Amino acid sequence: MNITASAPWKAVEAHRQSLSSVHLRQLFSRDPDRAAALSLAFDGILFDFSKQRVDPSTISLLSALAREARLDEWTERMFSGERINASEDRSVLHVALRRSAGPFPSAEFDVMGDVLATRRRMIAFADSLRSGTALGFTGMPIRNVVNIGIGGSDLGPKMLGCALRSIAHPALAVHYVSNLDGAQLAPLLQTLDPRTTLFLLASKTFTTQETMLNAQTAREWLVANLGDAHAVSRHFAALTAKPERAIQFGIREEAIFPLWDWVGGRFSLWSAVGLALMIAIGPQAFAELLEGAERMDEHFRSAPYEQNLPVVMALIGIWNTNFLGATSYAVLPYNESLKYFPSFLQQLEMESNGKSVGIDGKPLACVANPIVWGELGNNGQHAFFQLLHQGGRLVPCDFIAAVRSDYPLPGHQEALLANCFAQSAALAFGKTVDEALLELQGTMPEEQIEALLPHKVFPGNQPSSTLLLSRLDPQTLGSLVALYEHKVFVQGIIWGLNSFDQWGVELGKAVASSILPAIGDPRLAGKFDPSTRGLLAFTRQYLA
Ligand code: F6P
């Protein structure tokens, strides 16, 4: 289906033309109730999209696109376990991972038996570590847990582990290692005691180069320090869909926690991949996280489009990308504990929807996902916000903040929130020539004012949404992550692509394996392109 040829798409395009010369200032002055009309609330989350360049009819018109793309049908197909990940012939059932009870209504199979049994094993394992009863090879309690994984086997638990660090177990340190670069693992190992360290090998495929190399190095370090290869079975656990490979590595069966082909890496934090997180925050908090996600699932499945947070968020993204022409959008958390949220969203959105071929194998008729980027908002203000304010580019932003702080210091939280609210207002409303002139008049000679004036003008009209959370508790964070997951799904359906495969990551992996032997053997360099040959030659000069 070519969505851009549909009547709803054309209606949105006509509407865009009618709004194209309207500034956010005018939209606000025309409608005093705009903020209330263009905000949605869900549990402890306020989603204010009134500073987007939309009016109430925009959302209704965009909703027709979701209907045209048969979003309801696709949603039910996902929830009923149909193999909607066509290119990999897989179901997409991460939503089953947050359910508290079975059976899961699936046409083909019920997954809840496996999900609940694995969750019970995770709870027992996490409890034994948290209570200090899980002992290492030498009989000492485990005190450090190192999650070795990358992409979806790292970003979700790491992001939430940081977001919830205020409730983390005080005597158990959880670390994350993803990078091939020894600069991450080597300094960490120096701080660890092998007798009290447990490694979690998180890899759905159990073949990912980065994870396997780090795992091998960790294994060698452990065996060298404890002097016995049998120690591996007490100091390693695996979270994987390939248990046979974990057994080969030396991990005992009781320490292998399964996941399944129907959960994609970037949607897997709710599964055994979340074990490091469960160990840190405890099974009760983990259950609350799942509950928050499940509540968002129910909302997504049942709320009318115009009141449905994931749907509205997705439609606004499509509006900004396909109708206003934005090529990127910025994620700006005003909360230090959310520092990994932009990276998490980069994988969730760009690995899911960074595609130009549709589910039918044909080129898409429009561009799909914009570039997702971001940084802690307060730091960004003193770095790149200049471009957002005066760079002349359209960069929609998601501002995210929590009202209550987990680390209250006198005056800090109020100032942080004031900055967050100020930036979205300044971006939206800007400062006109007249306003700038009024400020400058009388402060300096006229010629200086004239020279300075153009620099003091802010065009405004930069669109943003603000997600204000009551606080960073597990339930609210569960809802927040599920909100973005469903946003990605809705956009994928409207763009007509498969959000659940990731063929684009394969080529680089294959090329890297062919280059690897040539790093050490100059005779193999000849088959590569001149640039790669030059890089290899330079490398050989300096590599010890
Ligand atoms: O290379 C991309 C990717 O396959 C991601 O989709 C995935 O989250 C990550 O690598 C890690 O994969 P695995 O869990 O199999 O090690």
Side-chain angles (χ1 to χ4, degrees):
M1 181 199 59
N2 175 0
I3 189 87
T4 65
S6 68
W9 189 280
K10 289 183 178 145
V12 177
E13 178 51 33
H15 173 70
R16 180 196 68 81
Q17 283 168 20
S18 73
L19 269 188
S20 63
S21 57
V22 187
H23 194 283
L24 274 164
R25 278 184 179 232
Q26 290 164 286
L27 289 171
F28 271 86
S29 64
R30 274 184 201 167
D31 178 5
D33 296 329
R34 179 176 169 86
L38 298 179
S39 289
L40 292 170
F42 174 85
D43 289 350
I45 301 177
L46 174 69
F47 175 50
D48 173 356
F49 55 100
S50 62
K51 296 194 199 85
Q52 295 286 348
R53 289 196 215 162
V54 296
D55 68 17
S57 70
T58 319
I59 303 300
S60 315
L61 288 165
L62 286 163
S63 296
L65 287 179
R67 280 184 203 97
E68 179 74 17
R70 301 179 185 278
L71 175 63
D72 280 354
E73 276 173 38
W74 279 101
T75 304
E76 286 320 300
R77 288 175 71 184
M78 174 168 79
F79 275 85
S80 65
E82 253 189 65
R83 293 169 185 251
I84 61 167
N85 175 358
S87 70
E88 295 182 318
D89 192 25
R90 290 175 182 170
S91 306
V92 176
L93 280 174
H94 52 277
V95 285
L97 294 165
R98 32 260 198 164
R99 298 269 295 206
S100 48
F104 192 79
S106 160
E108 281 190 54
F109 54 96
D110 178 23
V111 296
M112 287 314 294
D114 288 344
V115 169
L116 296 176
T118 304
R119 203 182 298 157
R120 278 193 294 273
R121 288 185 53 218
M122 287 168 65
I123 292 170
F125 194 80
D127 277 339
S128 71
L129 286 157
R130 291 171 62 82
S131 63
T133 53
L135 305 180
F137 187 62
T138 66
M140 288 173 73
I142 298 295
R143 280 293 157 249
N144 281 285
V145 175
V146 183
N147 187 83
I148 298 183
I150 196 164
S153 298
D154 168 66
L155 288 165
K158 182 171 73 178
M159 180 275 288
L160 286 171
C162 181
L164 292 168
R165 66 205 156 117
S166 67
I167 58 165
H169 193 290
L172 264 175
V174 178
H175 315 267
Y176 291 86
V177 171
S178 57
N179 201 336
L180 260 183
D181 188 345
Q184 192 179 25
L185 181 58
L188 174 64
L189 291 178
Q190 279 170 15
T191 69
L192 298 175
D193 180 344
R195 297 169 302 175
T196 60
T197 300
L198 172 76
F199 294 95
L200 300 180
L201 306 187
S203 178
K204 184 176 165 185
T205 54
F206 225 76
T207 53
T208 304
Q209 185 192 37
E210 292 86 344
T211 303
M212 290 302 108
L213 201 52
N214 281 326
Q216 202 53 45
T217 302
R219 189 184 200 281
E220 281 159 19
W221 171 83
L222 187 97
V223 173
N225 280 284
L226 297 186
D228 192 334
H230 291 103
V232 171
S233 72
R234 311 285 339 157
H235 290 268
F236 280 83
L239 329 170
T240 184
K242 298 287 175 197
E244 63 288 354
R245 294 183 188 154
I247 289 171
Q248 243 173 16
F249 185 91
I251 298 177
R252 63 190 204 284
E253 255 175 74
E254 312 86 84
I256 299 176
F257 297 86
L259 47 147
W260 306 275
D261 69 356
W262 46 259
V263 52
R266 51 196 175 273
F267 299 89
S268 67
L269 72 90
W270 325 97
S271 72
V273 166
L275 185 58
L277 177 65
M278 186 192 272
I279 291 167
I281 65 173
Q284 177 53 36
F286 194 85
E288 290 163 20
L289 180 84
L290 298 183
E291 193 186 326
E294 189 180 8
R295 287 182 58 76
M296 183 55 77
D297 295 341
E298 284 157 14
H299 165 79
F300 171 56
R301 227 172 151 187
S302 58
Y305 290 166
E306 283 86 345
Q307 270 110 56
N308 192 311
L309 266 81
V311 173
V312 171
M313 200 187 231
L315 295 175
I316 288 170
I318 287 188
W319 171 251
N320 286 333
T321 303
N322 299 110
F323 295 91
L324 301 189
T327 54
S328 82
Y329 96 93
V331 182
L332 305 166
Y334 276 71
N335 191 305
E336 184 73 24
S337 301
L338 288 176
K339 70 176 171 188
Y340 297 121
F341 198 60
S343 335
F344 170 76
L345 280 190
Q346 283 181 321
Q347 187 196 13
L348 181 64
E349 299 211 15
M350 294 202 278
E351 196 166 71
S352 299
N353 289 344
K355 294 163 190 171
S356 50
V357 169
I359 198 161
D360 54 6
K362 302 209 173 93
L364 295 181
C366 59
V367 291
N369 221 87
I371 296 159
V372 183
W373 61 286
E375 167 60 294
L376 290 172
N378 208 230
N379 293 347
Q381 281 176 217
H382 299 273
F384 55 79
F385 271 50
Q386 164 65 39
L387 181 146
L388 300 181
H389 285 290
Q390 292 184 316
R393 289 173 192 271
L394 177 68
V395 185
C397 305
D398 277 5
F399 286 88
I400 306 174
V403 175
R404 287 173 62 185
S405 171
D406 292 323
Y407 303 93
L409 289 176
H412 284 239
Q413 186 65 4
E414 294 79 355
L416 185 68
L417 292 172
N419 271 281
C420 176
F421 304 160
Q423 288 298 330
S424 66
L427 287 167
F429 306 125
K431 190 190 282 182
T432 62
V433 176
D434 290 346
E435 287 166 343
L437 196 58
L438 207 62
E439 270 179 22
L440 290 173
Q441 266 161 358
T443 65
M444 59 184 77
E446 282 300 311
E447 324 80 73
Q448 263 188 34
I449 292 184
E450 208 180 306
L452 194 54
L453 189 59
H455 303 285
K456 300 285 248 178
V457 173
F458 290 69
N461 216 21
Q462 189 76 284
S464 71
S465 299
T466 299
L467 276 157
L468 198 51
L469 317 180
S470 53
R471 63 177 309 160
L472 290 190
D473 57 33
Q475 183 171 336
T476 310
L477 283 162
S479 299
L480 179 74
V481 175
L483 163 60
Y484 276 95
E485 284 182 349
H486 292 314
K487 169 204 166 182
V488 164
F489 171 69
V490 174
Q491 292 188 328
I493 295 302
I494 294 176
W495 284 320
L497 54 81
N498 178 2
S499 301
F500 302 104
D501 61 12
Q502 56 284 316
W503 298 105
V505 302
E506 298 304 329
L507 177 61
K509 290 183 192 176
V511 179
S513 345
S514 73
I515 291 179
L516 181 58
I519 302 254
D521 186 347
R523 290 166 305 168
L524 302 176
K527 62 176 175 168
F528 299 108
D529 64 87
S531 167
T532 305
R533 286 206 302 274
L535 296 171
L536 285 167
F538 186 85
T539 301
R540 273 193 301 276
Q541 273 179 47
Y542 293 97
L543 202 63

